[in-house]
Amino acid sequence: MSIRLHRVALSGHSHRVELFLSLLGLPFTLVDVDIRAGEHKRPAFLAMNAFGQVPVLEDGEVTLADSNAILVYLASRHDAGRRWLPTDPVTAAQVQRWLSVAAGELAAGPAAARLIRLFGAPLDAERAAATAARLFGLLEAHLADRPFLAAATPTIADVALYAYTAHAPEGGISLAPYPHIRAWLARIEALPGFVPMVRP
Ligand SMILES: N[C@@H](CCC(=O)N[C@@H](CS)C(=O)NCC(=O)O)C(=O)O
């Protein structure tokens, strides 16, 4: 059974899945989706994800969309020790809390600011910057006295928040005021199997 990740190289949502596959040491094939040509809105792609978005994962008979859902699947299916998605109820809930932040404030703040700056997305730049500032202030305080977001060891929460935080400067959001966030990013980058997202 082979794993295929349909992705866009500059997409942080795609990168979080690529990063986790690599951290798990799983063999996989990257399939580049030509988003500029509208490939993600054509029937073949919509059959895999009716929302017409990357990433999509194929693992044998299983086809899944949504980056955070894919992280949950991979952690449940391919990490027998459940190190990346602990099963105890409180830690599992803490992980989910950060996955919600990844789909919420992270997407609306730093990721949106980057979409505006890099791709000219018609979004509200001031609002994205304000959302990013609030999020990074909260994240900085949260990481002041803990190494990772949801547990003493890294979990899929850290994987989910990594790319759009690390690449926030591409959207004009500086990480200079946030030393605890930068130290956390460096801890993730030091993990065996870490792969960076390309820079534009
Ligand atoms: N909730 C989705 C969001 C994915 C997403 O926003 N993908 C973007 C690229 S980063 C995309 O495919 N955009 C094209 C579109 O929405 O038409 C996830 O976590 O996978």
Side-chain angles (χ1 to χ4, degrees):
M1 289 217 301
S2 64
I3 297 179
R4 286 157 62 84
L5 173 60
H6 301 261
R7 63 95 190 236
V8 168
L10 286 171
S11 151
H13 289 103
S14 298
H15 175 266
R16 75 179 62 154
V17 177
E18 179 187 355
L19 173 58
F20 192 41
L21 286 165
S22 182
L23 290 169
L24 287 174
L26 294 169
F28 61 96
T29 304
L30 292 172
V31 183
D32 285 310
V33 178
D34 191 348
I35 209 163
R36 284 177 200 273
E39 191 185 339
H40 58 311
K41 304 300 180 195
R42 293 194 194 129
F45 190 90
L46 293 174
M48 296 190 294
N49 178 12
F51 282 73
Q53 291 184 320
V54 290
V56 169
L57 185 93
E58 290 181 282
D59 182 8
E61 299 300 304
V62 176
T63 302
L64 286 171
D66 189 89
S67 58
N68 291 344
I70 295 168
L71 296 184
V72 168
Y73 165 79
L74 290 172
S76 309
R77 178 132 225 189
H78 292 292
D79 170 26
R82 289 298 290 263
R83 290 179 308 139
W84 293 91
L85 180 54
T87 52
D88 84 88
V90 173
T91 311
Q94 296 290 7
V95 169
Q96 179 56 55
R97 180 220 183 171
W98 287 107
L99 296 184
S100 297
V101 172
E105 289 87 344
L106 188 76
R114 186 171 166 273
L115 275 178
I116 295 164
R117 181 77 72 103
L118 290 188
F119 306 107
L123 299 167
D124 184 335
E126 262 181 46
R127 193 165 170 183
T131 303
R134 180 164 182 274
L135 170 62
F136 285 168
L138 291 167
L139 210 51
E140 178 71 5
H142 184 75
L143 289 165
D145 57 359
R146 44 172 74 75
F148 295 104
L149 291 174
T153 54
T155 67
I156 57 171
D158 302 285
V159 177
L161 270 83
Y162 172 80
Y164 285 125
T165 303
H167 289 251
E170 293 166 13
I173 313 287
S174 172
L175 294 175
Y178 309 113
H180 296 304
I181 292 179
R182 287 188 279 111
W184 166 74
L185 293 173
R187 281 191 286 278
I188 296 172
E189 287 157 8
L191 294 172
F194 173 82
V195 281
M197 182 163 77
V198 292
R199 299 204 174 265

